[in-house]
Amino acid sequence: MFEVIFLQFLNGLDKGAAYALIALGLTLVFGTLGVVNFAHGALFMLGAFCAVSVRMFLTMETVTVDPEKLSPWGTPLEVREPLVQAWLGDFGAVLVNYSVPISILITIPVMLLVGIALERGIIKHFYKRTHAEQILVTFGLAIVAQEVIKSVFGPNPIPQPMPTDLRGAADIGSWLGMQANVITYPLWRLIYFIFAGVVIGGVFAFLQFTTFGMVVRAGMADRETVGLLGINIDRRFTIMFGLAAVVAGMAGVMYTPLLPPNYHIGMDFLVLSFVVVVVGGMGSLPGAVAAGFLLGILQSFASMTQVKAIIPGIDQIIIYLVAVVILLVRPRGLMGRRGVMEA
Amino acid sequence: MSNLMPRNDLLLLLGFAIVVLAMPIWLAPFGAGYPDLLQRFMIFGIFAVGFNILFGLTGYLSFGHAAFFGVGSYAAVWSFKLLTLDAIPAIIFAVAISGLFALVIGFLCLRRSGIYFSILTLAFAQMSYNLAYSVLTPITNGETGLQLTLSDPRIVDVALGKTLVGQPVPNILGQPLSGYAGFYFCAGFLILAFFLAQRVAGSPFGMMLKAIKSNQTRMQFTGFNTRPYALSAFVISGMYAGLAGALLAVTDPLAGAERMQWTASGEVVLMTILGGVGTLVGPVIGAWIIKYFENILSALNDNILARFWSFLPEGMDSVLVKITSKFVGDGWHLTLGLAFVIVVIFLPGGIMEGVRRIAAAFRRSDNSAKPSARTQPAE
């Protein structure tokens, strides 16, 4: 029984990690700029499609028709030659194999630019508007991003293979000194979890231990005073928006092998992530992370057959049910501050 | 009549009724003069008017109104299946059930405000949607959707000795509600819904709701218990949504769970914002415009575009076809999203604010001070 529970706990971690990463970005934007960003799911999706495009570039092929040889159907054989392999040999093959982790390198500058452009271009004008209007404009932006991606990449999910070395399962049970082959866990999920831990830790460390982070935290607490001290807080907040976009984008890239991305992957995650943020308490970074993992793990437990036998359908509604209960019992979520977003 | 409602309101209602009832005539040149689409105009008009009673008057942004819409649909179809094929009992039943549902959900959700309220309504609606797909399949028939069949019990119809020939179709007093009959049936309800919304907005109760929107804390300090008022508004708007859902079931007796999904809730928010929050006519116009473009733009394809641009020189037209084809057909959501972003950025008050601004500009340019008609749809 312990093994089953432990396994479900592990299964919840990767989904929880994705929720936590998206919720972290949402909370960063909310805490710094005070903007409710419904386009954050779209940033997750854009990140995922960065991975898709990188792979598309790496696997570009030249197709030459060889009239000498015939295929089994009697037509001239098409010879496909991957360009990257042709240029770089074995190193090219490695590049293609590791396309998903490599895309992160591309994703970081791309998402930083996208985030900063979004903030300077549109979000900037919405600081003084109501939260309802912020929700609406970012919701519209999300629709636009989604439709643009749909018209470029088509409506179907595009599977992204994970590197061959990282397929297979990790025998976590034997690592912990238990019986072998009882608790096995897909390696990539483990990597995703560790990756999420590193990113989350990095963001916290950045905010906690750098001067830049200190200024940003001061700005979150009292923007006006920091501005009066002669610090250009707006520019720092813009960078924080870019950083949140990068976090969302990286979360999207690394999630592609687990779930083939399509154009509405962002929306699917966004709704849940908003629930996560609100459960954690608007504006609280630790709350967002804790709630992300909590809900991911609860969802995993609720989809156990033993649990479903007792309460049918619980796996479908558990997240919302927990959200409702927490919001009714703890008005500001797990770690929310008083008076935030209640008007 | 004049002491029942102010003259301006009466004129607005009359103008609205005329515009609605004459729709088959004045929409025909725009390619929208067919009953199926007109019925949808009416139904989503009712939905948006009801949503505006909550969002426009009290300022509570609900992201879960599609749940009431879906519940109304299911209730109406069940009434057709179990009781009678007559539309009136089905509508009464649907409105009552969705009202009860709204009472329960509203009671819980209204304990919080702001975004917490939005997320709570969203959570309840998503729960209903997920349950309708999974566990509640005996009631909702899951993915297939709830349909009428010949073997339904229909207790009242059987007791009255009515026999059914052919496919079961909802009717009213024996008259089938298809085509224009269905449109006028829905149009009657839209005008009634508009009238009631007008009365609500003009009543002391409506004033109370507006006061909740502008400063709830002050209301509480002056000794009002605001929650019963907000709850009443929530229930009323839930009943409107149930009515709209029931009418959709009347015109097309197939209820599916996708009507309750959060995108459907988002759509009614878009309609209301696009038209103008807090105005009476705005949400209806927003609903009409979104439904109109959904139908027209999604039906366009490359051939029609090629004919449209064919007056341009060779080469240029094919480029334009390629560009515009991204915005129509399956891509019409892109147009919707762009239009929406532009409206929120430049016209936060929606189309009604645009109309007001244009009217103000005209009044300034010639000082004859003749106000332009307010109820004209801005098309």
Side-chain angles (χ1 to χ4, degrees), chain A residues 22 26 35-46 111 114 118 123 134-143 145 241 245 248 266-267 270 274:
Chain A
I22 302 179
L26 272 174
V35 169
V36 184
N37 182 14
F38 257 57
H40 202 73
L43 296 173
F44 178 84
M45 176 206 57
L46 288 180
M111 293 311 291
V114 167
L118 194 62
I123 309 275
Q134 294 169 353
I135 291 176
L136 294 165
V137 79
T138 47
F139 184 61
L141 285 174
I143 296 178
F241 192 95
M267 280 291 182
L270 177 82
F274 248 92

Side-chain angles (χ1 to χ4, degrees), chain A residues 75-96:
Chain A
T75 49
L77 190 67
E78 287 180 349
V79 179
R80 292 172 178 275
E81 200 177 359
L83 278 177
V84 178
Q85 263 112 315
W87 293 336
L88 301 174
D90 285 349
F91 180 63
V94 172
L95 274 185
V96 173

Side-chain angles (χ1 to χ4, degrees), chain A:
Chain A
M1 194 60 206
F2 170 75
E3 289 86 2
V4 179
I5 291 177
F6 188 62
L7 198 60
Q8 288 303 326
F9 175 75
L10 288 177
N11 278 335
L13 283 183
D14 62 306
K15 203 148 212 184
Y19 293 154
L21 281 177
I22 302 179
L24 180 72
L26 272 174
T27 310
L28 266 184
V29 170
F30 179 73
T32 51
L33 304 169
V35 169
V36 184
N37 182 14
F38 257 57
H40 202 73
L43 296 173
F44 178 84
M45 176 206 57
L46 288 180
F49 276 91
C50 278
V52 173
S53 343
V54 167
R55 191 172 176 82
M56 276 167 82
F57 275 111
L58 287 179
T59 53
M60 268 200 301
E61 305 169 314
T62 49
V63 180
T64 45
V65 178
D66 191 343
E68 308 276 304
K69 294 175 197 156
L70 288 182
S71 72
W73 295 278
T75 49
L77 190 67
E78 287 180 349
V79 179
R80 292 172 178 275
E81 200 177 359
L83 278 177
V84 178
Q85 263 112 315
W87 293 336
L88 301 174
D90 285 349
F91 180 63
V94 172
L95 274 185
V96 173
N97 190 7
Y98 278 87
S99 74
V100 171
I102 286 170
S103 340
I104 286 189
L105 299 178
I106 315 276
T107 308
I108 291 174
V110 168
M111 293 311 291
L112 195 64
L113 278 180
V114 167
I116 289 175
L118 194 62
E119 200 272 341
R120 286 290 93 185
I122 289 175
I123 309 275
K124 183 178 78 173
H125 306 289
F126 278 79
Y127 293 155
K128 299 258 160 61
R129 303 264 200 109
T130 61
H131 286 308
E133 280 173 340
Q134 294 169 353
I135 291 176
L136 294 165
V137 79
T138 47
F139 184 61
L141 285 174
I143 296 178
V144 171
Q146 192 171 314
E147 292 300 315
V148 168
I149 289 294
K150 184 176 151 194
S151 73
V152 176
F153 293 91
N156 296 321
I158 305 170
Q160 297 295 304
M162 51 189 93
T164 40
D165 304 337
L166 302 178
R167 282 175 206 170
D171 195 351
I172 294 184
S174 66
W175 295 355
L176 298 176
M178 279 182 280
Q179 206 184 334
N181 290 325
V182 175
I183 298 172
T184 55
Y185 189 60
L187 201 53
W188 187 264
R189 291 175 181 243
L190 190 66
I191 291 174
Y192 194 85
F193 171 66
I194 294 169
F195 163 79
V198 170
V199 171
I200 292 169
V203 169
F204 275 92
F206 178 67
L207 283 177
Q208 211 63 40
F209 301 126
T210 62
T211 321
F212 187 96
M214 189 185 71
V215 172
V216 167
R217 276 186 296 130
M220 283 164 85
D222 188 343
R223 179 185 190 138
E224 207 174 7
T225 310
V226 175
L228 288 175
L229 291 174
I231 293 168
N232 187 352
I233 193 74
D234 282 357
R235 215 184 65 207
R236 287 177 167 77
F237 280 180
T238 306
I239 293 171
M240 287 313 286
F241 192 95
L243 187 70
V246 169
V247 170
M250 289 198 296
V253 169
M254 293 295 278
Y255 211 73
T256 50
L258 297 179
L259 185 70
N262 57 6
Y263 66 97
H264 54 71
I265 186 175
M267 280 291 182
D268 301 345
F269 269 92
L270 177 82
V271 173
L272 286 172
S273 307
F274 248 92
V275 174
V276 168
V277 168
V278 170
V279 166
M282 288 301 288
S284 158
L285 292 174
V289 174
F293 282 110
L294 176 74
L295 290 182
I297 290 164
L298 278 177
Q299 195 181 27
S300 153
F301 276 117
S303 51
M304 285 166 73
T305 36
Q306 292 95 323
V307 177
K308 275 199 277 190
I310 304 169
I311 318 167
I314 185 73
D315 55 321
Q316 303 283 330
I317 57 166
I318 178 77
I319 287 196
Y320 303 109
L321 201 62
V322 171
V324 166
V325 171
I326 288 188
L327 285 186
L328 291 179
V329 178
R330 285 192 61 92
R332 287 160 203 101
L334 289 174
M335 304 182 190
R337 279 171 297 160
R338 198 181 169 78
V340 177
M341 293 291 293
E342 293 190 53

